[in-house]
Amino acid sequence: MVRVTTTDRRGVLRAGAGLVAGGALTTGCSSTGAAPRDAASDAAPDAPSPASSASRAPVPRVFPRQPAQITHGPRDKPRVALTFHGQGDPELARALLTAAEKHGARLTVLAVGTWLDEHPEMARRILDGGHDLGNHTQRHVAVNALPETDARAEITGCADRLERLTGSIGTWFRPSRAPTASPLVQRLARAAGYPHVLSYDVDSLDYTRPGAAAVTRKVMAEVRDGSVVSLHFGYADTVAALPDVLDELDRRGLHAVTTTELLS
């Protein structure tokens, strides 16, 4: 494992935190969303050409021993998955990814389609760092509340962006504005190519901006072998908390791995 000192790691992250101090750039998935616009109005702008076959991203996998909606991994191995809702300032995202990589940790990023439209380079940045990349709907609206046609468009819209940018629809799907997917959304996700919906068993509540120490306390009070932790890009508290979270996981002998690794 490649290691850096706590001081070095905190310096990288807290420098990124200064970019957004005083305001959040994304919205937590426990809140309700605004009424959706017509999906046809959200056509993607020009973006890089699809990845070559040599650099195609991993595709979704079936994990036979796991349910259709996954909340955690095996409880008998000292591994956890830190999963990030992908939206917000890309500089903060890069700071988080870089610090995790220096620590030897790997993350799972569930990207919002409109974020990929605005920052298409982030898809490859995430994958090049060894992280999982998945689908968090096209516009981050309350997908469980949508009629079937609109919910399908939210899932497939983001999947199309991911496939165009990386050659894959991503390894995971997570519903937006809800911790779990409704039966309809589960069915639509499966039809789009995602055998499982990725939920979580630890909610950091970082989107409430409680302060870095509170984020760390919340995560560490609940995390255990096999946990899937919900976190967000775009929040200064999350950026500042990550060094302590990683240090505490190390102290407990827990390794931060991708969700694919957690379940493999």
Side-chain angles (χ1 to χ4, degrees):
M1 179 182 292
V2 178
R3 297 300 303 267
V4 295
T5 67
T6 300
T7 299
D8 289 340
R9 188 163 59 252
R10 286 176 178 164
V12 171
L13 288 171
R14 285 166 184 160
L19 295 172
V20 295
L25 295 176
T26 182
T27 304
C29 286
S30 295
S31 58
T32 58
R37 303 187 307 273
D38 183 355
S41 68
D42 293 298
D46 292 340
S49 299
S52 68
S53 58
S55 61
R56 285 183 182 274
V59 299
R61 289 173 50 185
V62 176
F63 293 89
R65 297 182 180 180
Q66 294 295 330
Q69 190 148 222
I70 295 170
T71 58
H72 63 81
R75 296 299 194 187
D76 59 350
K77 296 180 180 179
R79 301 186 295 190
V80 300
L82 303 180
T83 67
F84 286 79
H85 303 228
Q87 198 175 16
D89 190 309
E91 290 304 315
L92 272 182
R94 292 186 187 99
L96 281 164
L97 294 168
T98 298
E101 291 154 16
K102 288 181 176 179
H103 192 96
R106 295 296 178 262
L107 313 177
T108 299
V109 180
L110 295 311
V112 175
T114 53
W115 187 66
L116 294 175
D117 290 343
E118 295 172 2
H119 310 289
E121 74 285 355
M122 290 304 302
R124 183 51 57 185
R125 169 64 186 86
I126 291 163
L127 292 171
D128 286 348
H131 311 285
D132 273 358
L133 177 62
N135 178 333
H136 196 37
T137 74
Q138 177 58 20
R139 292 172 294 134
H140 201 260
V141 295
V143 66
N144 285 344
L146 297 179
E148 181 170 347
T149 299
D150 293 339
R152 180 184 294 109
E154 284 295 318
I155 298 168
T156 59
C158 186
D160 290 345
R161 269 80 171 165
L162 286 164
E163 186 162 29
R164 185 182 68 251
L165 293 171
T166 71
S168 165
I169 63 172
T171 46
W172 300 101
F173 168 76
R174 172 173 287 170
S176 49
R177 307 277 185 155
T180 58
S182 67
L184 170 62
V185 170
Q186 286 189 58
R187 176 170 63 81
L188 294 174
R190 191 178 309 113
Y194 302 97
H196 304 279
V197 171
L198 181 60
S199 184
Y200 46 86
D201 64 324
V202 178
D203 189 348
S204 69
L205 299 180
D206 58 348
Y207 59 88
T208 66
R209 294 189 289 169
V215 171
T216 301
R217 285 195 302 270
K218 180 71 163 60
V219 171
M220 299 314 301
E222 300 178 16
V223 73
R224 59 191 179 110
D225 291 1
S227 283
V228 177
V229 183
S230 172
L231 296 147
H232 293 76
F233 284 170
Y235 287 89
D237 290 346
T238 310
V239 177
L242 186 59
D244 290 334
V245 169
L246 293 173
D247 285 343
E248 283 297 309
L249 290 175
D250 280 352
R251 188 177 66 80
R252 298 187 190 185
L254 294 171
H255 307 290
V257 299
T258 67
T259 304
T260 299
E261 292 170 322
L262 181 73
L263 300 172
S264 297

